[in-house]
Amino acid sequence: MTLYETLFALTSVAMPFWLLMILLPSWRVTRLLASLAVFPLYLAVLYAVGLVTAIGDTGFGFIQDFGSAEGVIRLLSHPDFALLAWIHLLCFDLAIGHSIYRDNMEHHYVPRPVQSILLFLVLMFGPFGWLCYLAIRRIRRTKAAQDAHSQ
């Protein structure tokens, strides 16, 4: 097993946190873990280990592939870089999900069942779930401001 395969296997530890945020958002353990940001930090550390290793092995030359679709395809055709990119996605999806969880638990923009649906969308579709949350939050904030202004 390569280092990148090991790092990928270690990412599964963060899945229970997704389940807690989605299924048990009000549980004190979920709230504690969210306040400590343990799992987003954990995935970020895994990614950093992979990134530092990749830079150590190949230097910064791989960055030149970021500038074109062909270059990105070529880079992602290498299993180690594909796994590293996947860890990157998992880390950012969890960071966004964690941010949504904390923001909504504090401000109550959407009911908890809707929050759970939005977190599931972030887990499965990343930016789409985040966009949905931002749109709903914006609508709710605007409505609250209009209601406060009309009183």
Side-chain angles (χ1 to χ4, degrees), residues 1 12 18 21 23 27 39 42 48 54 58 68 71 73-76 83-84 110 125 127 137-138 141 149-151:
M1 183 179 286
S12 65
W18 274 111
M21 289 192 303
L23 301 175
W27 190 32
F39 290 101
Y42 170 75
T58 65
S68 71
I73 291 168
R74 184 174 47 254
L75 185 62
L76 292 177
L83 289 173
L84 188 57
V110 298
F125 308 111
R137 185 179 74 173
R138 176 68 169 209
R141 279 181 168 173
H149 187 283
S150 67
Q151 290 179 352

Side-chain angles (χ1 to χ4, degrees), residues 46-118:
L46 293 180
Y47 177 72
V49 168
L51 179 63
V52 168
T53 301
I55 292 169
D57 290 347
T58 65
F60 287 97
F62 66 90
I63 292 173
Q64 69 189 6
D65 287 333
F66 292 171
S68 71
E70 297 82 16
V72 171
I73 291 168
R74 184 174 47 254
L75 185 62
L76 292 177
S77 71
H78 298 284
D80 291 344
F81 276 102
L83 289 173
L84 188 57
W86 185 250
I87 295 168
H88 177 117
L89 292 171
L90 293 174
C91 180
F92 266 90
D93 286 353
L94 185 57
I96 293 297
H98 178 255
S99 174
I100 289 170
Y101 171 86
R102 289 180 66 171
D103 185 49
N104 194 62
M105 293 300 284
E106 180 180 343
H107 300 289
H108 310 287
Y109 295 117
V110 298
R112 301 267 163 74
V114 175
Q115 172 183 296
S116 293
I117 293 167
L118 291 167

Side-chain angles (χ1 to χ4, degrees), residues 18-37:
W18 274 111
L19 294 174
L20 290 173
M21 289 192 303
I22 291 168
L23 301 175
L24 299 168
S26 298
W27 190 32
R28 71 175 190 271
V29 173
T30 308
R31 288 177 175 261
L32 173 66
L33 291 172
S35 72
L36 298 173

